[in-house]
Amino acid sequence: MLENFERASILVLGSGTSVGVPMIGCRCKVCTSSDSRDKRLRPSILLRFGDQRLLIDTTPDFRYQALRFKIDRLDAILFTHSHADHILGLDDVRPFNFMQKTDIPIYASADALVTIRRTFQYVFDDSPSESSRPRLTPNVFDATPITVAGLDIQPIRVAHGRGIAHGFRFGDCAYLTDHSDIPSASMDRLTGLDVLFLDALRHNPHPTHSTVEESLRTVELLKPKRAFFTHISHDLLHSALAARLPENVQIAYDGLEIPVGRLGA
Ligand SMILES: [Zn+2]
Ligand SMILES: [Zn+2]
Ligand SMILES: [Zn+2]
């Protein structure tokens, strides 16, 4: 079983903020940049280990992300929270149900699952239908570790404005997207990391997101070997920001693949 966790990697499916970059109708220098790293789909990653594929969030771009990155199976989906930019692609998991002929387990906090059920009422409606619906097995997590496809995952609670979101730690890697603050109990769970993803929306303060400067301070406190910023808005030009970041901090971009060695114990 353990060898399943070797040669693991994280694939960035999307690194953009909720409206994506470019933003519809915007002619700013980032939205019109020819650098492919400035083209950001909505935020999501795919965790690959052995033949397992774990998806974090189903963005409105999920169909395109799955085609673009040739995702050919899905073993489970983890949700960070229930904002539209993280859940609205859920209907597009149907082809994986068709191919795999199984339900797909999904994992969310109790609150997020309530919103997912309300938003996708038809998915969880058991009455007969002539149309296909995603076939999902819902699972709720709280603060205790969960085991998904054989991998131990620690949910990490973070503040997202007045709301709550979750990041996830797996082995020496952690993925934290939308957060404005990381409570100290969660910071304690983020020590000794190889890879740490953090929200870094822009430079100017925002009520629900961390800025580049705030996330740089988090990196200084937690000292991961490698940090990656995500959920990036059109305020940040990849090449200009990359040149100013410390050596252990990178800006994530769509298609970035990060080998993480071995996951798990
Ligand atoms: Zn978001
Ligand atoms: Zn723009
Ligand atoms: Zn959000």
Side-chain angles (χ1 to χ4, degrees):
M1 192 58 172
L2 267 184
E3 66 204 26
N4 269 348
F5 299 137
E6 287 171 14
R7 295 183 304 279
S9 69
I10 295 169
L11 176 64
V12 176
L13 305 179
S15 58
T17 190
S18 60
V19 291
V21 180
M23 182 172 75
I24 293 171
C26 187
R27 303 294 301 160
C28 79
K29 72 172 191 292
V30 178
C31 288
T32 57
S33 162
S34 58
D35 186 340
S36 62
R37 298 169 303 178
D38 288 316
K39 309 225 177 292
R40 302 168 182 138
L41 298 173
R42 266 58 72 85
S44 176
I45 60 168
L46 185 73
L47 183 55
R48 303 189 283 200
F49 54 96
D51 58 0
Q52 305 289 305
R53 302 288 179 267
L54 260 59
L55 177 68
I56 301 188
D57 292 331
T58 55
T59 82
D61 298 315
F62 174 65
R63 176 180 174 276
Y64 177 61
Q65 289 165 328
L67 292 170
R68 179 177 179 187
F69 298 112
K70 299 185 168 51
I71 301 174
D72 56 8
R73 63 173 291 119
L74 268 191
D75 295 282
I77 303 166
L78 299 162
F79 288 101
T80 58
H81 63 307
S82 57
H83 281 166
D85 52 325
H86 298 261
I87 69 168
L88 283 188
L90 184 57
D91 190 72
D92 285 318
V93 306
R94 284 177 296 138
F96 295 99
N97 291 136
F98 303 155
M99 285 187 289
Q100 296 165 204
K101 299 182 175 57
T102 56
D103 293 9
I104 296 171
I106 65 169
Y107 296 79
S109 69
D111 284 353
L113 194 58
V114 167
T115 307
I116 291 167
R117 283 181 181 276
R118 192 171 61 230
T119 307
F120 292 93
Q121 199 176 11
Y122 68 95
V123 173
F124 299 96
D125 176 354
D126 290 332
S127 62
S129 168
E130 292 178 316
S131 308
S132 66
R133 295 182 287 222
R135 286 171 45 204
L136 310 169
T137 311
N139 299 274
V140 171
F141 62 71
D142 49 30
T144 49
I146 49 176
T147 303
V148 180
L151 177 65
D152 292 334
I153 297 178
Q154 171 67 62
I156 308 282
R157 194 177 156 94
V158 291
H160 184 23
R162 287 194 294 269
I164 293 291
H166 285 85
F168 301 104
R169 177 172 183 157
F170 30 91
D172 291 339
C173 305
Y175 178 74
L176 273 63
T177 175
D178 308 41
H179 57 84
S180 45
D181 189 45
I182 307 173
S184 59
S186 296
M187 289 289 278
D188 292 346
R189 293 175 157 164
L190 295 168
T191 55
L193 287 170
D194 173 20
V195 170
L196 172 62
F197 276 76
L198 292 170
D199 185 347
L201 181 74
R202 61 187 191 190
H203 293 297
N204 293 335
H206 189 281
T208 64
H209 290 280
S210 179
T211 62
V212 169
E213 288 65 29
E214 287 163 347
S215 285
L216 282 172
R217 280 197 289 279
T218 304
V219 171
E220 274 173 31
L221 289 170
L222 293 175
K223 298 183 175 38
K225 288 199 187 99
R226 300 177 279 173
F228 297 87
F229 287 173
T230 191
H231 214 291
I232 302 159
S233 78
H234 67 156
D235 288 0
L236 302 178
L237 189 73
H238 186 105
S239 57
L241 178 59
R244 296 171 34 206
L245 291 176
E247 209 177 336
N248 62 333
V249 181
Q250 295 177 50
I251 310 160
Y253 56 88
D254 299 15
L256 172 66
E257 187 177 1
I258 304 161
V260 293
R262 213 176 81 174
L263 292 171

